[in-house]
Structure formats: C-alpha cells, structure tokens
Amino acid sequence: MRMPSSRRPSWRPLVLPIAFLALAACGPKHHLDQYDFAGRTMALVVIDPTAPVLLQDSYRVRADNDLVATVVNAGATAIKNAEAGRARARLDSATTRMALADALAERTIERASRYLGVQPVGSKSGSDFLLEVHMRNYGIDARGRSAATLFTNAEAVLLDRRTGREIWNVRVRGTDRLTPRVRGDDRLPGTIITAGSLHTVSVADFQDALDQLVQLSSNVIVNELRGSLRDARSAR
C-alpha cells in the first residue's frame, strides 16, 4: 500500500519536543533548612531499572462499529504492536550500550554537590549524606493511535546516612515522541503510519533519545534541589 503524497511526513525520528514533569514530595517538601551541608561528604546510590517496558494498545470492538473499519483498525493495531515489540528489542540493545542509571546519577551528583557545598566521595559507609538516584522505569508507550513515545520515570532522594532520614526528594517524568503525531482515516489509519515510523528508529536513535532524556532528567532534578535550597536558606 502506497502512502498518499499529502500524508508523507517530512520529519526525522527523535528530533521532537521533550516534555518533563517534576513532582515534589507531598506534605512537607523538605528538611533542608535543618542541615548544615558545608564541608560534609555525600556518596551516591544508584538503583537500576530492570528492563525496558513496552505499553501496547488493544482494539475494542463495539456492536455499532462498521465491520470494514473494525477489521482495518484491528489489523492496524496488531501491526503497530508487532512493530513496537521489535522497536523495544532495539531499545534494549541501546540500553546495554549505555549505563542508564549511572549516567543519570553521575550527571546529577556533580551539580548537586556544588549547590549543597558537600564533597562527593566514593564510600557510602563513611559519608555524611547519600544521594539515591532511582531510575524507576523507562520504555516505549505505543498505546496512542497517533504517536509512540519514549518515556522515563526517575526519582532522586537525599538521605542523612546516619539516621536514614529522608531530607529531600523529587520525582521526574520525561517523554520524547518517537513518531510524528498524525491523523489517519479508514483507508490509512494513523496506527499504520506510527508502525512505519517505529520501524525507522534505530539503536543509535534510541541511544541519542535516552541520552537527551537522562541529561534533561538530571537538569530537572538539580534545578528542583537548587530551588528548594534557595527557599530553605532565605527562610533562615
């Protein structure tokens, strides 16, 4: 089946806007005002994700659905899910080539240490504070009919190592569209275009997208910490 020329997308995969959401802890936002960080030490704790997640779509048939449209759309959904599964394998390959959680942690602790005024150290047992970076999950969300996205979900927690008290935390969610947002019709559903777009995303593309998401996740985490520190110090 040839795509009509009016529907040929003029885009490159992964060169698309990235959306981020920072979610501060509920209740008292932090206890930063109760600690003097100057001259103290901080170590890093990394919690790796298990494996990429693939969120797939399902097609629900209603009694009032047109039979032809039902067959076309159900088939298009199956094709998109199959292509998403192959894309997930390429994402898995990209992940093995880069230490995802380590990259996020290393980029985060460098700036976080600078704003806190602490000395980063390698030994967790001898440090005053621990910065725990948890990459909770990441993967491909192929449930949308008009686009597929790469998503990450991370959390950073600052702990008093001696007491285990949670001093501050923030969660960050990021998404990067893998395919263009399109509108289809009964002859050429948007899911078919999404499937074809997913087919073009290479391992290198996934690496680039993950690197962008990690870098921006780190920036959001540290900027949230910086804002919380500014509030705590101005209140003294």
Side-chain angles (χ1 to χ4, degrees):
M1 177 185 296
R2 290 179 58 84
M3 185 183 299
S5 58
S6 61
R7 293 186 182 276
R8 287 177 185 163
S10 57
W11 59 279
R12 290 177 59 82
L14 306 178
V15 187
L16 292 161
I18 298 176
F20 267 89
L21 176 65
L23 305 172
C26 297
K29 290 187 177 181
H30 58 71
H31 306 290
L32 294 168
D33 58 333
Q34 301 174 25
Y35 288 84
D36 182 10
F37 297 97
R40 312 283 291 278
T41 59
M42 182 171 69
L44 193 66
V45 176
V46 178
I47 302 176
D48 287 302
T50 52
V53 176
L54 174 60
L55 304 178
Q56 292 182 300
D57 194 17
S58 60
Y59 188 77
R60 295 181 177 86
V61 179
R62 298 192 307 240
D64 58 345
N65 276 8
D66 176 79
L67 179 59
V68 174
T70 297
V71 172
V72 169
N73 285 292
T77 299
I79 292 170
K80 185 189 68 173
N81 286 342
E83 197 57 60
R86 286 187 282 271
R88 185 234 163 124
R90 295 194 296 276
L91 173 60
D92 212 358
S93 297
T95 303
T96 60
R97 298 183 183 184
M98 61 181 295
L100 199 63
D102 287 343
L104 175 60
E106 288 170 8
R107 292 173 180 179
T108 303
I109 194 172
E110 180 182 358
R111 288 183 62 207
S113 298
R114 190 158 61 242
Y115 289 125
L116 287 167
V118 297
Q119 176 66 36
V121 295
S123 173
K124 292 186 282 289
S125 60
S127 65
D128 297 307
F129 303 101
L130 295 174
L131 180 62
E132 180 181 281
V133 178
H134 183 188
M135 181 68 79
R136 290 180 170 272
N137 55 48
Y138 70 102
I140 300 172
D141 188 346
R143 292 174 298 180
R145 297 193 178 187
S146 61
T149 59
L150 178 65
F151 69 90
T152 59
N153 181 11
E155 182 177 18
V157 182
L158 180 63
L159 300 167
D160 183 326
R161 187 194 63 80
R162 291 181 176 83
T163 65
R165 185 187 191 190
E166 187 173 304
I167 302 170
W168 172 89
N169 82 332
V170 70
R171 290 182 64 177
V172 174
R173 296 174 183 172
T175 59
D176 188 359
R177 266 210 326 271
L178 293 171
T179 64
R181 195 173 299 283
V182 295
R183 293 177 64 87
D185 54 28
D186 289 344
R187 293 184 304 106
L188 190 64
T191 47
I192 288 289
I193 301 174
T194 299
S197 302
L198 278 171
H199 180 75
T200 69
V201 183
S202 67
V203 173
D205 288 330
F206 275 123
Q207 283 184 269
D208 289 343
L210 286 171
D211 188 67
Q212 292 177 47
L213 285 169
V214 165
Q215 180 65 61
L216 289 173
S217 294
S218 176
N219 289 342
V220 171
I221 288 171
V222 177
N223 289 340
E224 286 290 315
L225 174 61
R226 183 186 181 189
S228 297
L229 281 168
R230 186 184 294 120
D231 293 342
R233 288 163 178 167
S234 64
R236 289 177 180 174

